[in-house]
Amino acid sequence: MFDGSAGRAVALAAVAALAVAVVGSLMRADRRQLSDVPTPGELKELRKLYAGTPATWPRPLLLPGANFTEMAPLRLLPRPEGKEQKLVQLGAELFNDPRLSASGHFACQSCHNRRLGWGDGLPTSFGHGRAEGRRNAPSLFTVGYKDALFWDGRAATLEEQALGPLGDGREMANAELAGVAQRVAGVTTYRARFSAITGRDDVQLSDVVNALAAFQRTLERQTRFDRFAAGDQKALSDEEVFGLHLFRTKAGCANCHNGPLLSDGKVHNIGLSFFGRKMEDLGRYGVTGNPIDAGDFRTPTLRHVSVTAPYMHNGIIPNLRGVVGFYEGGGGRVREERREEGDRAPLFEAARQNSPQLRPFKLTAPERAALVAFLNTL
């Protein structure tokens, strides 16, 4: 006979074993084996697994350390009203006004064009004096929903972010930021409209960046995936649902691209620092000075990803098929021959350590097509 405590221990062990068996069964279901070219019947059964809310979908297959939040439709910020709407309108005009640059030749929209997914379609942007930047102009679609901006996360707010390009010598090149506000104040209509909002007769730099930020917070739009995740089963085709399943399982995309923003909000090293080479960019290390951050970049959102090419922080991948191929290979690599000694030795060691959320995988041609089809719905 067992005493009471021993009996409870046995019972708990039995419950734990049952839980493991149930979880194992669920995981096997989540890994549902489909044909290389799924039949209509298989796709029909797969669609049933994704018929409910995201909370009921098959659990994603995650690698150790993944910071997963369930995918969900993004709740758009409320439409501005009153003075806030007037500030948005001012921000929209200033966004397109080259007066904000020292040369009078560049506006915010020069690198963030609505018709180009709020980017510029170039691997890296050109600015003042045709100077070429070293990073891809990130899309502005979700900037109003983030708590860290730029590829290296160096700005915490949109207002802080706006000061970066205004003062950068390769971008809008304002050596004295006060001159930006002076030029805006020199336009009678701008000055009168700001006065109606602020109650002051002057225009300050903070007014300008507040207007730009207010405008950028209105840029996000609903996607087909938002509608599907909210219950509209017709929003995605069978192939796209298949791609969603691959995104969450075999391809491993959900390890880093999850939640309503399709980003874990973290920094990761995907092997594209080009350490010791002409295109070297050590990412987050440039902000923190901590060698462990060498090669880390923030996870970009995948919302509207189909219209924001080219991809990666340096714009080296021209299309989504190329992005999928890059991750199939497990990301990039820092070559051993780039090893350095002395002060740069810790940087080399950090830069060569890819994120644990990266691992190679192999898709068939139909799977690759399905995954790209799904990415086009985001």
Side-chain angles (χ1 to χ4, degrees), residues 36-359:
D36 288 349
V37 182
T39 67
E42 287 177 316
L43 292 176
K44 182 178 180 181
E45 290 302 311
L46 183 64
R47 180 178 281 277
K48 289 179 182 178
L49 294 177
Y50 289 92
T53 62
T56 70
W57 292 353
R59 296 296 298 162
L61 301 183
L62 303 175
L63 295 169
N67 184 43
F68 180 79
T69 300
E70 185 54 81
M71 300 167 74
L74 181 65
R75 181 174 296 179
L76 298 183
L77 296 171
R79 294 177 64 86
E81 299 178 351
K83 287 186 177 181
E84 184 65 20
Q85 176 58 23
K86 292 180 179 179
L87 190 64
V88 168
Q89 292 169 348
L90 262 172
E93 293 183 33
L94 290 168
F95 190 87
N96 290 281
D97 195 332
R99 287 186 183 89
L100 269 59
S101 66
S103 66
H105 295 159
F106 295 95
C108 302
Q109 67 87 32
S110 298
C111 295
H112 300 283
N113 191 303
R114 176 176 63 84
R115 292 178 177 84
L116 296 172
W118 295 111
D120 60 10
L122 298 172
T124 56
S125 301
F126 289 90
H128 183 77
R130 295 297 292 169
E132 184 177 1
R134 63 174 180 166
R135 291 180 181 166
N136 177 255
S139 170
L140 301 181
F141 272 116
T142 59
V143 290
Y145 300 76
K146 296 177 179 177
D147 58 7
L149 299 157
F150 292 112
W151 281 103
D152 53 22
R154 65 185 182 272
T157 66
L158 271 172
E159 289 80 2
E160 180 185 353
Q161 180 276 332
L163 297 174
L166 287 173
D168 192 306
R170 287 176 173 263
E171 298 186 53
M172 303 180 90
N174 290 288
E176 296 293 335
L177 288 176
V180 176
Q182 292 170 3
R183 292 194 295 274
V184 171
V187 179
T188 302
T189 53
Y190 277 154
R191 189 170 63 252
R193 290 165 66 189
F194 269 118
S195 179
I197 295 170
T198 66
R200 303 190 314 269
D201 292 332
D202 63 337
V203 177
Q204 300 177 8
L205 180 62
S206 60
D207 299 326
V208 175
V209 297
N210 287 343
L212 291 172
F215 166 63
Q216 291 176 78
R217 291 189 177 100
T218 68
L219 303 182
E220 187 52 78
R221 296 292 183 268
Q222 187 184 60
T223 67
R224 279 204 290 134
F225 176 72
D226 285 332
R227 300 203 308 272
F228 180 82
D232 180 3
Q233 282 288 298
K234 295 181 179 180
L236 265 60
S237 69
D238 286 349
E239 182 187 38
E240 290 161 350
V241 172
F242 180 30
L244 164 61
H245 187 65
L246 293 168
F247 184 96
R248 294 169 63 88
T249 55
K250 185 176 181 179
C253 312
N255 279 276
C256 300
H257 296 284
N258 53 61
L261 289 180
L262 297 171
S263 168
D264 62 4
K266 305 297 182 182
V267 294
H268 294 282
N269 184 345
I270 62 171
L272 284 182
S273 67
F274 284 84
F275 186 90
R277 301 166 68 183
K278 181 179 179 181
M279 291 177 60
E280 179 178 287
D281 187 342
L282 300 184
R284 183 69 178 162
Y285 167 73
V287 178
T288 67
N290 189 340
I292 199 172
D293 294 326
D296 284 354
F297 293 87
R298 288 189 63 79
T299 306
T301 176
L302 294 186
R303 290 184 63 84
H304 311 283
V305 69
S306 65
V307 296
T308 61
Y311 304 104
M312 308 305 178
H313 71 270
N314 47 19
I316 64 169
I317 302 183
N319 53 52
L320 288 175
R321 185 179 177 85
V323 172
V324 172
F326 172 80
Y327 285 111
E328 279 192 79
R333 297 287 184 275
V334 172
R335 300 173 182 176
E336 179 64 26
E337 61 265 29
R338 300 296 173 180
R339 178 181 294 276
E340 295 191 29
E341 305 299 331
D343 292 343
R344 280 176 59 86
L347 297 179
F348 170 82
E349 292 301 332
R352 70 196 296 257
Q353 298 298 320
N354 282 10
S355 168
Q357 277 70 62
L358 282 183
R359 57 101 176 96

